[in-house]
Amino acid sequence: VSARLDHHVALRTADIDAASRFWTEALEGVVATPPALRGGGYFDELFGPGTQVKICYLTFEAGAIELFEFVEPRADVPRSSQTRDGMMHFGVTVPDVPAALARVEAAGGRRRLPVNRVGGRDEAPRFVYCEDPEGHVFELMEMTRDETVEQILTTLALLDEAEDA
Amino acid sequence: MSARADHHVALRVTDLERAIRFYEAAKATWQFLAPVVPIPPQEQSAVGIMHFAVTVDDVPSTLARVEAAGGKARFPVKSIGGDSPGRFVYCEDPDGHVFELLSVDHPETVRIIVAGNPDAVVTP
């Protein structure tokens, strides 16, 4: 069985038009399918009988975000908590973290902490945790998945060396 | 600027070893030693980040592996619809995190959504 964990991340929003604007302006997402109201059929089974939901599908250079605005039942979107939520955040690879962060902030998002380098090493790739306007947390990273694994292993090895010293 | 929204999804778990066994390569799975807070139910109409989706070759056989590993389906495997042979199912891992298994890729997913929404217009 091959499984690729790259299809999409689904986010709930209270305003699907505003959310799709944010992701197109912040990270150059492309609205592949514009917001459309869906209900009945398997949506009753997915989300409960009588559910009415607007869905919009945005694609990126890789991966996608699927936005859901529940019209019925309507409920506030909780801001993410990294220590309390089940699904904490998702990661996005960008070529330049400060430049991408500037776009995020211009589009109405914000950073949760200053831009850091992995392990605090001068030569390591940069990363930052951000929030969209509704509080969904995502991480901007200047490294691929393979490079991330290398960086984490390097950090752990250095921590071991420091502990042994 | 190019953005690749496919780096990782971070999940909070109550038992890291169990979660690693479940995902087999869960390098992006976190366990909080302190504070210890129960994982809340992943009610799709109430949470912020709802689910993540995984592309697989065969949904039923992958679901069988998910169930054997301790996960479960939220409903029976569905046809994606239209003329597509594609199928999908929502699943839960042992902590209740919801993930979707699909047997179609992005272009096919977009084509199916557009076909099911005659008013939809695809942005070039």
Side-chain angles (χ1 to χ4, degrees), chain A:
Chain A
V1 173
S2 69
R4 297 198 310 276
L5 207 159
D6 64 353
H7 199 287
H8 68 262
V9 175
L11 304 180
R12 197 162 66 81
T13 174
D15 184 339
I16 202 164
D17 296 314
S20 64
R21 269 198 308 278
F22 172 79
W23 291 107
T24 53
E25 291 174 12
L27 294 179
E28 296 184 341
V30 172
V31 178
T33 70
L37 186 65
R38 308 298 304 274
Y42 58 58
F43 288 93
D44 283 350
E45 205 167 351
L46 295 181
F47 304 127
T51 296
Q52 295 283 305
V53 60
K54 292 181 189 172
I55 303 175
C56 171
Y57 196 80
L58 297 130
T59 56
F60 298 81
E61 182 178 307
I65 290 176
E66 193 171 27
L67 297 171
F68 290 78
E69 179 186 337
F70 283 83
V71 176
E72 181 59 43
R74 193 169 272 286
D76 291 340
V77 177
R79 300 193 81 81
S80 292
S81 164
Q82 297 297 284
T83 55
R84 295 191 173 275
D85 290 346
M87 277 194 198
M88 300 164 57
H89 62 265
F90 58 97
V92 180
T93 306
V94 295
D96 183 319
V97 163
L101 175 61
R103 292 178 62 102
V104 166
E105 291 176 328
R110 69 184 186 103
R111 61 180 170 81
R112 288 197 137 204
L113 69 165
V115 174
N116 281 291
R117 291 187 182 272
V118 179
R121 297 188 304 282
D122 290 343
E123 75 284 5
R126 291 173 289 197
F127 72 98
V128 68
Y129 277 33
C130 303
E131 288 183 6
D132 73 5
E134 294 183 295
H136 299 116
V137 177
F138 57 100
E139 185 176 0
L140 301 175
M141 313 167 83
E142 284 175 346
M143 50 195 161
T144 63
R145 286 190 293 260
D146 288 345
E147 289 165 347
T148 303
V149 171
E150 284 177 26
Q151 290 293 332
I152 293 171
L153 293 176
T154 299
T155 302
L156 294 177
L158 290 170
L159 288 172
D160 281 346
E161 282 177 22
E163 201 168 286
D164 292 342

Side-chain angles (χ1 to χ4, degrees), chain B residues 5 7 10-12 22-23 28 40 68-69 74 79 81-82 93 99 110 115:
Chain B
H7 194 287
L11 307 178
R12 197 164 63 83
F22 181 77
Y23 287 108
R74 287 199 138 199
S79 167
D93 74 6
F99 58 98
V110 171

